[in-house]
Amino acid sequence: MYKFISEHSIYQYFGDDDPEMIREMIQIILDTNVKDLQELDDFFDKADFPTIKKRCHKAKPSMSYIGALKTRKVLEDIEADLEHSQEKNSELKEHLEEIEKELNQFLKALP
């Protein structure tokens, strides 16, 4: 049903007995991790590689929680070669756009 996220992973990490808690956790991921990663272009423009590394590293667990393992791999690739990862950042932006849509769809489907 989803291209990037996994309902199974979300329920595995957050449990399936508290939809409100799941809603809050996903909203935090959207408001912090996804938003932070969407701003990476600015840091690439400034060659601020420490900030890029920090934001990528911080977002990796969240990508696992929502089952976005392909996106987690892209974050690892960026972290591994910061100075040459502009192309990977473009791929990441495409992932994030879709993840944002999928997470919002998932939230609407919660009871």
Side-chain angles (χ1 to χ4, degrees):
M1 179 172 174
Y2 296 111
K3 183 176 176 183
F4 289 101
I5 71 168
S6 161
E7 287 182 72
H8 175 75
S9 292
I10 292 170
Y11 289 126
Q12 179 182 342
Y13 279 101
F14 301 127
D16 57 4
D17 56 343
D18 189 351
E20 192 53 42
M21 197 265 299
I22 293 171
R23 190 173 280 108
E24 287 174 23
M25 295 306 294
I26 289 178
Q27 197 59 55
I28 289 168
I29 290 169
L30 284 167
D31 293 344
T32 58
N33 299 118
V34 172
K35 183 178 175 292
D36 283 352
L37 294 173
Q38 289 170 330
E39 297 170 350
L40 287 184
D41 277 345
D42 295 337
F43 298 104
F44 273 106
D45 291 345
K46 299 176 199 164
D48 184 351
F49 299 116
T51 299
I52 294 167
K53 183 175 181 74
K54 184 175 166 186
R55 287 188 177 202
C56 288
H57 188 76
K58 183 178 136 192
K60 288 189 303 188
S62 297
M63 293 303 123
S64 294
Y65 301 155
I66 62 171
L69 300 182
K70 289 180 204 168
T71 307
R72 182 187 168 107
K73 173 73 173 108
V74 172
L75 292 171
E76 290 168 356
D77 292 346
I78 291 172
E79 248 189 313
D81 190 12
L82 291 165
E83 290 84 2
H84 306 100
S85 55
Q86 192 75 37
E87 193 173 305
K88 281 286 178 187
N89 185 49
S90 296
E91 182 180 348
L92 176 64
K93 286 193 315 191
E94 291 171 18
H95 284 224
L96 293 171
E97 193 174 308
E98 193 61 33
I99 286 169
E100 194 170 19
K101 288 178 192 168
E102 291 180 9
L103 286 174
N104 282 313
Q105 269 183 305
F106 178 83
L107 288 174
K108 285 180 187 164
L110 278 176

